[in-house]
């Protein structure tokens, strides 16, 4: 292992192979199924499927480069070599510095290269609260792939580090999708048993949080509950992802086996979206009602949601804080609310949704915006430092990937980060779901329990077993 001086990555960046081999093929008639089939193919030990805005799907695999940062150090791996450096308590800064070094090394090629990764919720403690609460686990991980496939309505584009990777993936794409019996799925009764687990303890946590709010400690906290899946239940992540995507209407979706986490998720909102021209936006969703097959009932709940004082207050304070966080990194006068309190369906629920936009300052980049907005206000609370302290008091254990971000970015300055909610998560031998609700002074434990159940129904009924 090579120990590099702090924040100097020149020799590492110089060892990264470019994506020189490019192939174009006919469009897929089912991008979700094609991307999932690539994930199943076992091309590499790390991969990600990322569904972006506008029906564009990306598949990335192979570790041309990987980056991992924790509270004290950052490690880069490329071409069989390893480099390390201290972070001095600033892992996000070190992470961004390493990516910027790679971007500079590529020069004109940088605009065509992308990275894929995740940030755990515990990064929030370093950014906003108590660094001692961060723990010693990885906080950020990114893959710069050996091969990347982009699936659009018009074409399928494959970019690879060499002809061998290109031919391998092109061959897979040319094969017809095999017809196989679907894996066994979760029964409705089994899904409801999973969803109902731990509700009593969660209700108590909500009640204690309401007491904190009445005591003036904070204004809002998004309290969540972890729902472990039964031991020995081997979940098929790709099959779960495909089944869940057929039934959900996410803002973003993702399927990954990356940096020690496995995940299949249907994110209802983005933490932030940064374009290469410096336009930045965030999409807070807060305020929830169930959404199902009965259109008349959906409309009744929509009207009820728009008139509920608790839900409106919860949403308004989220938008207010998002505005303040955007102002910290955007040009004066550029921050605006482009939409306010629209109701958007997201799988088994419907939410109040707003969008706040702005233009980054000349001296600010996408990771500055990420540092300001992460974690999403709709996964933490108001104020963020006080909410983080409340979560530490009332939630059991660290959140890990839940409430964090899954992202795709370019070396030309774009960054698209989805909020990790409505997600099946696996680490080691453990697999779980998690859901939360925004707790305010008006919250009732019974209603917040009901809301977490409504959200869990976006994933639990679509669980599929391996070997079924």
């Amino acid at each position: 292992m090579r120990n590099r001086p702090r924040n100097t990555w020149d020799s590492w960046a110089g060892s990264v192979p470019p994506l020189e081999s490019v192939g174009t093929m006919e469009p897929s008639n089912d991008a979700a199924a094609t991307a999932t089939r690539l994930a199943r193919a076992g091309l590499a030990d790390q991969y990600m499927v990322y569904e972006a805005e506008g029906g564009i799907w990306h598949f990335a695999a192979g570790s041309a480069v990987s980056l991992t940062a924790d509270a004290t150090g950052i490690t880069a791996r490329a071409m069989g070599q390893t480099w390390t450096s201290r972070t001095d308590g600033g892992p996000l800064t070190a992470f961004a510095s390493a990516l910027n070094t790679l971007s500079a090394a590529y020069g004109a090629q940088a605009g065509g290269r992308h990275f894929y990764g995740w940030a755990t919720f515990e990064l929030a403690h370093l950014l906003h609260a108590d660094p001692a609460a961060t723990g010693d686990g990885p906080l950020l991980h990114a893959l710069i792939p050996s091969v990347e496939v982009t699936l659009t309505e018009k074409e399928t584009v494959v970019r690879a580090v060499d002809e061998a990777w290109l031919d391998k993936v092109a061959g897979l794409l040319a094969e017809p999708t095999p017809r196989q019996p679907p894996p066994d799925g979760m029964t409705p009764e089994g899904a409801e048993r999973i969803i109902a687990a731990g509700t009593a303890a969660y209700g108590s946590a909500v009640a204690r949080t309401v007491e904190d709010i009445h005591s003036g400690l904070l204004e809002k906290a998004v309290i969540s509950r972890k729902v472990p899946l039964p031991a020995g239940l081997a979940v098929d992540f790709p099959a779960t992802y495909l089944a869940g995507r057929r039934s959900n209407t996410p803002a973003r979706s993702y399927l990954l086996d990356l940096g020690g986490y496995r995940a299949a998720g249907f994110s209802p909102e983005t933490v932030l979206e940064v374009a290469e021209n410096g336009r930045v936006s965030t999409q807070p969703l807060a305020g929830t009602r169930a959404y199902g097959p009965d259109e008349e009932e959906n409309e009744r709940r929509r009207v009820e949601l728009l008139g509920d004082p608790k839900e409106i207050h919860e949403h308004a304070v989220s938008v207010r804080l998002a505005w303040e966080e955007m102002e910290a990194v955007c040009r004066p006068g550029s921050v605006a609310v482009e939409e306010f309190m629209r109701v958007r369906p997201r799988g088994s629920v419907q939410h109040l949704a707003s969008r706040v936009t702005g233009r980054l300052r000349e001296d600010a980049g996408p990771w500055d915006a990420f540092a300001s907005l992460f974690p999403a206000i709709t996964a933490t609370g108001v104020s963020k430092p006080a909410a983080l302290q409340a979560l530490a008091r009332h939630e059991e254990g660290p959140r890990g990937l839940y409430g964090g971000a899954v992202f795709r970015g370019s070396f030309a300055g774009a960054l698209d980060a989805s909020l990790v909610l409505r997600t099946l998560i696996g680490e080691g031998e453990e697999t779980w779901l998690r859901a939360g609700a925004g707790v305010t002074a008006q919250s009732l434990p019974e209603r917040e329990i009901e809301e977490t159940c409504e959200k869990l129904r976006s994933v639990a009924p679509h669980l599929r077993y391996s070997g079924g």
Side-chain angles (χ1 to χ4, degrees):
M1 179 178 291
R2 299 184 182 184
N3 292 308
R4 301 290 297 161
R6 179 167 53 92
N7 290 337
T8 58
W9 299 94
D10 293 339
S11 90
W12 159 65
S15 69
V16 181
L19 292 179
E20 293 182 326
S21 300
V22 181
T24 302
M25 305 176 66
E26 292 296 314
S28 169
N29 59 9
D30 189 338
T34 299
T36 304
R37 182 157 61 92
L38 290 172
R40 280 194 178 283
L43 292 168
D45 60 351
Q46 296 193 85
Y47 71 81
M48 184 190 289
V49 172
Y50 193 84
E51 180 190 5
E53 189 173 20
I56 300 174
W57 300 70
H58 303 280
F59 170 78
S63 302
V65 175
S66 68
L67 286 170
T68 306
D70 58 27
T72 60
I74 183 169
T75 300
R77 294 180 176 86
M79 303 294 287
Q81 300 183 70
T82 302
W83 293 261
T84 63
S85 178
R86 298 195 318 274
T87 62
D88 293 337
L92 185 56
T93 301
F95 193 77
S97 176
L99 288 172
N100 288 339
T101 299
L102 183 59
S103 176
Y106 270 97
Q109 297 183 32
R113 200 68 188 262
H114 297 90
F115 53 86
Y116 296 76
W118 49 253
T120 64
F121 184 81
E122 280 61 50
L123 177 63
H125 294 292
L126 279 177
L127 295 174
H128 304 290
D130 179 12
T134 303
D136 56 6
L139 302 174
L140 293 147
H141 182 81
L143 167 77
I144 300 168
S146 299
V147 63
E148 182 177 20
V149 181
T150 299
L151 301 148
T152 71
E153 292 182 353
K154 295 181 178 180
E155 61 185 3
T156 299
V157 179
V158 184
R159 296 181 175 87
V161 295
D162 55 35
E163 290 293 327
W165 268 106
L166 183 66
D167 291 344
K168 185 187 304 184
V169 173
L172 284 170
L173 289 168
E175 294 176 0
T177 301
R179 292 186 175 275
Q180 296 177 338
D184 290 340
M186 181 69 61
T187 65
E189 296 79 13
E192 287 302 312
R193 282 195 298 271
I194 288 172
I195 288 167
T199 52
Y202 180 73
S204 297
V206 170
R208 294 194 302 271
T209 304
V210 172
E211 292 175 1
D212 287 350
I213 293 170
H214 286 304
S215 298
L217 297 179
L218 70 161
E219 191 171 352
K220 170 189 172 183
V222 182
I223 301 297
S224 67
R225 61 184 179 99
K226 184 176 181 179
V227 183
L229 299 187
L233 179 64
V235 179
D236 186 323
F237 276 74
T240 297
Y241 173 72
L242 191 57
R245 183 59 188 87
R246 301 295 196 211
S247 299
N248 273 280
T249 49
R252 302 289 187 272
S253 72
Y254 41 80
L255 170 67
L256 62 89
D257 189 340
L258 190 67
Y261 279 110
R262 306 180 304 284
F266 319 102
S267 175
E269 64 185 280
T270 54
V271 179
L272 82 165
E273 302 156 49
V274 183
E276 293 178 0
N277 64 7
R279 184 182 187 273
V280 59
S281 71
T282 187
Q283 187 187 38
L285 272 66
T288 306
R289 284 295 185 276
Y291 190 86
D294 187 329
E295 291 301 326
E296 289 187 4
E297 181 64 12
N298 289 337
E299 176 62 17
R300 185 193 68 77
R301 289 169 176 160
R302 187 188 75 86
V303 173
E304 180 183 272
L305 179 59
L306 286 166
D308 188 308
K310 182 266 178 184
E311 305 286 13
I312 292 172
H313 174 259
E314 179 187 348
H315 187 82
V317 297
S318 298
V319 173
R320 184 195 72 206
L321 186 57
W323 178 291
E324 294 169 357
E325 291 174 340
M326 290 278 282
E327 280 192 319
V329 292
C330 288
R331 300 175 188 177
S334 70
V335 178
V337 177
E338 290 195 354
E339 64 178 36
F340 183 65
M341 282 204 347
R342 291 186 62 179
V343 178
R344 293 193 176 275
R346 292 288 186 251
S348 59
V349 293
Q350 50 189 322
H351 293 291
L352 296 177
S354 295
R355 181 174 292 277
V356 185
T357 65
R359 288 278 176 177
L360 288 178
R361 297 193 315 262
E362 292 292 337
D363 61 343
W367 292 106
D368 298 299
F370 187 87
S372 185
L373 289 161
F374 182 87
I377 182 60
T378 49
T380 47
V382 182
S383 68
K384 274 187 182 177
L388 289 167
Q389 293 170 5
L391 300 185
R393 289 193 298 272
H394 304 309
E395 291 187 349
E396 183 178 350
R399 286 184 169 185
L401 198 58
Y402 174 83
V406 169
F407 53 78
R408 178 181 187 265
S410 79
F411 294 129
L415 182 61
D416 193 279
S418 55
L419 174 57
V420 180
L421 303 176
R422 320 294 145 76
T423 297
L424 168 69
I425 301 173
E427 183 183 18
E429 298 299 317
E430 188 181 8
T431 309
W432 66 92
L433 305 175
R434 193 160 189 151
V439 179
T440 69
Q442 301 100 327
S443 288
L444 298 174
E446 296 78 10
R447 170 55 200 152
E448 307 307 355
I449 289 171
E450 180 184 12
E451 182 171 321
T452 63
C453 292
E454 292 167 353
K455 292 172 177 176
L456 288 166
R457 292 188 184 103
S458 289
V459 185
H462 313 300
L463 294 173
R464 298 292 183 269
Y465 306 146
S466 297

